[in-house]
Amino acid sequence: MEIRYRMGKIKFIGFAFLCISVFANCAKKHDNKDQETIAALLLLTSGNCAQTQKIAANSYMSTLTPVPSSSCNQATIFGTDPNSTQAIGVSQLKATLAIAQGISGCTNTSNYIQNLINSAAPVNQTTWNSLVAGMQWTPLSSIVTEGMASVTKTWPSLTPSQLASIGTASVSQYQTFAYETMISVYASAASEASCTAAVLAKINADFPNTQFLWSTTTPTAAAPTLISIACTYGSARNTAIGQCATLNNLF
């Protein structure tokens, strides 16, 4: 497995969990009920979700995730104002910290995450407005169907049988994968090589049949599972990424 695939998945997940990366400085202590409420909302029903970012004029990138359709909205995923966005970011950081604290060799990384939680504050309204203006959330029936062009473009050696057997990760799997990959990002920021190695081993063990372990030459043969995938659209879209099947809203 080449590093570029591992980092690619981190990039996809990082965008879907925008609060945890963009708003790492938005975290102050909140009640654990914040985290429980968000988790409950994300488990409400079926369907999937596209979070779209406007990259430039006529260029859009959508991150497709198993977040259910009923929760595929700005209020649940991102927040309706700087304070609610902060609360979502805090809950994600706390969940990430809880996992990091259970991984041997991640002491410095855990401290790094805790410091983010302790020292942060909401972004200002102007910054928040600018971010929201370039984003949209769209319910989907299936991330596999919507992102198939990206799947075949990224893993061209997948056979028709493998393509037909691709499943979608659960919300719980998606969240856990997101938190674990963010630990890898924070381990790098904390310069803790032991944590980088340990969390990578944990991801390998926790997600053996997912795209994280696919390569272009030896894709997973048994029931591959898609955690998240990106696609693009618009007349000036990034053609290095597959085109979205139906998404086409310009904003």
Side-chain angles (χ1 to χ4, degrees):
M1 186 65 181
E2 295 178 8
I3 287 293
R4 64 191 180 97
Y5 289 108
R6 290 171 177 156
M7 294 310 295
K9 300 307 156 293
I10 290 173
K11 181 179 180 181
F12 291 166
I13 298 293
F15 177 66
F17 275 69
L18 194 64
C19 283
I20 207 170
S21 52
V22 174
F23 294 100
N25 67 332
C26 72
K28 287 187 177 179
K29 293 184 177 179
H30 287 259
D31 192 280
N32 286 337
K33 289 182 180 178
D34 288 335
Q35 185 174 328
E36 294 168 1
T37 299
I38 292 168
L41 285 170
L42 293 178
L43 293 171
L44 282 176
T45 188
S46 60
N48 295 156
C49 185
Q51 178 172 279
T52 301
Q53 182 180 22
K54 184 174 184 178
I55 306 300
N58 297 311
S59 177
Y60 301 83
M61 183 174 78
S62 298
T63 299
L64 316 178
T65 74
V67 170
S69 296
S70 63
S71 299
C72 186
N73 55 72
Q74 178 186 325
T76 301
I77 296 175
F78 190 81
T80 56
D81 55 44
N83 287 330
S84 58
T85 297
Q86 173 189 338
I88 292 171
V90 168
S91 72
Q92 293 175 356
L93 283 168
K94 286 183 176 180
T96 303
L97 176 61
I99 296 174
Q101 290 174 328
I103 301 175
S104 178
C106 288
T107 300
N108 293 343
T109 301
S110 295
N111 291 338
Y112 182 92
I113 299 170
Q114 185 65 66
N115 286 338
L116 290 177
I117 293 172
N118 292 343
S119 64
V123 298
N124 62 54
Q125 188 68 53
T126 300
T127 299
W128 189 89
N129 289 345
S130 177
L131 287 165
V132 171
M135 300 170 66
Q136 280 193 355
W137 292 264
T138 307
L140 300 171
S141 60
S142 167
I143 66 172
V144 177
T145 301
E146 188 66 37
M148 184 54 71
S150 287
V151 171
T152 56
K153 190 179 189 72
T154 306
W155 299 283
S157 59
L158 284 169
T159 67
S161 176
Q162 288 170 323
L163 290 172
S165 68
I166 291 176
T168 303
S170 67
V171 175
S172 177
Q173 288 174 316
Y174 164 67
Q175 289 177 311
T176 298
F177 185 81
Y179 298 142
E180 290 181 0
T181 53
M182 287 310 301
I183 291 171
S184 179
V185 172
Y186 291 135
S188 177
S191 300
E192 190 170 33
S194 61
C195 187
T196 298
V199 74
L200 183 56
K202 180 171 175 56
I203 293 171
N204 288 343
D206 288 349
F207 301 96
N209 290 326
T210 65
Q211 71 203 79
F212 182 75
L213 297 181
W214 297 355
S215 75
T216 56
T217 56
T218 55
T220 301
T225 300
L226 196 66
I227 297 177
S228 177
I229 194 74
C231 61
T232 60
Y233 66 88
S235 59
R237 75 181 186 87
N238 180 357
T239 57
I241 300 173
Q243 185 167 2
C244 301
T246 64
L247 294 168
N248 59 11
N249 189 41
L250 306 180
F251 56 93

